């Protein structure tokens, strides 16, 4: 290590040619290996290409011989590693130098350029990554991205990652655009059409595939039912919406890369109307019934909060900011909702929020308490609210009664009767006038 912090090694490899050393230079060089090792290779010059600073940027253009010389030096290092005593310090030093040589070789193959920070391609918005230590895999060429010496980009929409050198080879459009234009799931379970209908080609890149793996292995995506090559299908797994809705099954299945990204982006979107897709699911999944009742209660509480100054200042409704659809309707679900219902997480969190909301209306806020109801059928009991478990609500005027009173009474709602009578009186007054 020299004074400038650059790594220098003990043997030199010229980037253009190997020049013989003078006797004085040979004597001046410190020994890297013992005399025993030097004796084994005395018939030829050991040139490992280690005198350069392998982390500085190359100046000017490189010719093919530079890469070939580095490859020869790498092979020499590998041979020496096998010959040296195992776990010895000399072997460890040689391994470190082999790593440096390989980094230098990769640097020459992929020289860095002045790349823009943002690039737009096929609706992808690629942002240049600054991380040098995170290990990633290029979605285009399926090789490792060496952040230390390679420039790479990530799409801010679908998180597609690739080398800078692979940018112009991308053929897959951004999945987020599909989510924006077509926010719906495939609701058939693994709708396979067969390889013959795909002309024995990958459904995405059209590479020839077969189940025998020649020339490329055909891998089925459980979401689309189609077959893909190994470059488009990395055996990633995801929960399939169709299996959840029809079978209440949450086991992850193998999906292609594009399906994995699409499902990840769609995860929190409330696009599943269960009572239309599979209404029988509520008969067999008790947790769904519980969540539906909690959501209905929250919708009944919402009018209290939007007219209450204290509730607005406390921002109570923002407790559901990550599930905004819960304060808009009670029948739309996201795939994440169903996953959390199955695990029990949603029931716990929603019950806690429901308790907080009810406490504000019935105990903490006098304004909200004043908006309660008295049962007009029995005129007894405490103040009633529409979200109480023992009440019933008139669908026409939203009046609240004891459940037993309202169901047992065969007459119409007293409030509706008054409103009807009032309208008739107003019509009569208008005719007389």
């Amino acid at each position: 290590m020299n004074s400038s912090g650059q790594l220098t090694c003990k043997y030199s490899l010229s980037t253009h040619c190997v020049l013989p050393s003078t006797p004085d230079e040979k004597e001046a060089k410190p020994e890297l290996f013992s005399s025993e090792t030097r004796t084994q290779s005395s018939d030829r010059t050991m040139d490992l290409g280690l005198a350069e600073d392998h982390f500085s940027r190359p100046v000017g253009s490189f010719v093919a011989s530079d890469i070939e010389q580095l490859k020869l030096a790498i092979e020499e290092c590998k041979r020496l590693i096998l010959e040296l005593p195992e776990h010895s310090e000399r072997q460890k030093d040689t391994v470190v130098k082999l790593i440096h040589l390989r980094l230098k070789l990769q640097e020459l193959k992929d020289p860095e350029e002045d790349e823009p920070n943002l690039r737009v391609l096929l609706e992808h918005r690629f942002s240049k990554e600054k991380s040098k230590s995170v290990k990633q895999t290029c979605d285009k060429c399926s090789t490792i991205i060496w952040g230390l010496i390679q420039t790479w980009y990530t799409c801010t929409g679908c998180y597609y990652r690739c080398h800078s050198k692979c940018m112009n080879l991308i053929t897959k459009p951004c999945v987020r655009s599909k989510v924006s234009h077509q926010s719906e799931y495939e609701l058939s379970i693994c709708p396979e059409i067969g390889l013959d209908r795909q002309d024995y080609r990958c459904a995405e890149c059209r590479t020839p595939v077969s189940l025998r793996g020649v020339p490329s292995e055909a891998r089925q995506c459980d979401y689309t039912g189609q077959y893909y090559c190994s470059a488009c299908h990395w055996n990633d797994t995801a929960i399939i919406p169709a299996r959840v809705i029809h079978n209440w099954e949450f086991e992850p299945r193998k999906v292609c890369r594009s399906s994995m990204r699409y499902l990840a982006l769609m995860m929190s979107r409330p696009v599943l109307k269960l009572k239309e897709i599979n209404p029988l699911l509520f008969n067999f999944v008790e947790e769904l019934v519980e969540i539906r009742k909690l959501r209905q209660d929250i919708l009944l509480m919402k009018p209290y909060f939007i007219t209450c100054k204290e509730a607005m200042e406390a921002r109570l409704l923002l407790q559901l900011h990550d599930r905004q659809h819960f304060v808009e309707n009670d029948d739309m679900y996201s795939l994440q909702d169903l996953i959390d219902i199955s695990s029990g997480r949603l029931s716990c969190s929603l019950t806690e929020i429901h308790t907080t909301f009810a406490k504000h209306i019935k105990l903490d806020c006098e304004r909200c308490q004043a908006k309660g109801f008295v049962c007009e059928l029995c005129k007894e009991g405490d103040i009633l609210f529409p979200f109480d478990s023992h009440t019933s609500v008139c669908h026409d005027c939203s009046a609240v009664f004891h459940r037993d009173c309202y169901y047992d009474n065969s007459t119409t709602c007293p409030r509706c009767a008054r409103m009807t009578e009032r309208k008739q009186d107003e019509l009569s007054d208008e005719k007389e006038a």
Side-chain angles (χ1 to χ4, degrees), residues 69-86:
Q69 290 172 15
L70 276 175
K71 288 181 177 179
L72 291 174
I74 288 172
E75 293 302 319
E76 179 71 9
C77 255
K78 290 165 66 175
R79 185 191 65 78
L80 290 174
I81 289 172
L82 295 176
E83 292 180 356
L84 289 170
E86 191 173 358

Side-chain angles (χ1 to χ4, degrees), residues 9-174:
C9 303
K10 303 172 183 178
Y11 286 79
S12 66
L13 169 65
S14 170
T15 55
H16 297 285
C17 61
V18 179
L19 298 177
S21 303
T22 63
D24 295 337
E25 291 174 336
K26 290 182 180 178
E27 293 176 1
K29 289 182 182 178
E31 291 189 1
L32 173 64
F33 303 108
S34 66
S35 58
E36 176 184 352
T37 304
R38 187 169 60 247
T39 302
Q40 294 177 355
S41 56
S42 59
D43 296 335
R44 49 197 170 86
T45 302
M46 261 194 324
D47 193 332
L48 302 181
L50 302 175
E52 309 179 52
D53 170 18
H54 296 299
F55 297 96
S56 63
R57 298 307 311 163
V59 179
S61 61
F62 286 83
V63 294
S65 60
D66 301 314
I67 295 178
E68 292 302 321
Q69 290 172 15
L70 276 175
K71 288 181 177 179
L72 291 174
I74 288 172
E75 293 302 319
E76 179 71 9
C77 255
K78 290 165 66 175
R79 185 191 65 78
L80 290 174
I81 289 172
L82 295 176
E83 292 180 356
L84 289 170
E86 191 173 358
H87 304 304
S88 65
E89 290 300 322
R90 290 172 295 168
Q91 188 187 55
K92 292 177 182 178
D93 291 339
T94 311
V95 170
V96 171
K97 292 171 178 58
L98 175 63
I99 295 172
H100 295 165
L101 283 170
R102 283 179 167 171
L103 287 173
K104 181 64 175 179
L105 179 63
Q106 183 64 43
E107 184 181 14
L108 295 185
K109 288 183 177 180
D110 183 35
E112 184 179 356
E113 301 174 359
D114 294 331
E115 301 284 356
N117 291 327
L118 184 66
R119 298 177 66 175
V120 179
L121 180 68
L122 295 177
E123 300 187 354
H124 291 282
R125 291 183 61 83
F126 285 106
S127 176
K128 186 177 180 181
E129 292 291 349
K130 298 180 180 179
S131 174
K132 300 297 184 182
S133 59
V134 179
K135 182 178 178 181
Q136 302 289 353
T137 303
C138 177
D139 283 302
K140 177 57 186 176
C141 65
S142 304
T143 59
I144 294 176
I145 297 174
W146 297 98
L148 185 65
I149 58 175
Q150 293 178 315
T151 304
W152 60 290
Y153 287 80
T154 300
C155 175
T156 57
C158 66
Y159 308 108
Y160 187 98
R161 301 182 183 91
C162 70
H163 296 102
S164 173
K165 64 181 181 180
C166 297
M167 292 282 286
N168 295 329
L169 304 176
I170 296 174
T171 57
K172 303 174 184 178
C174 182

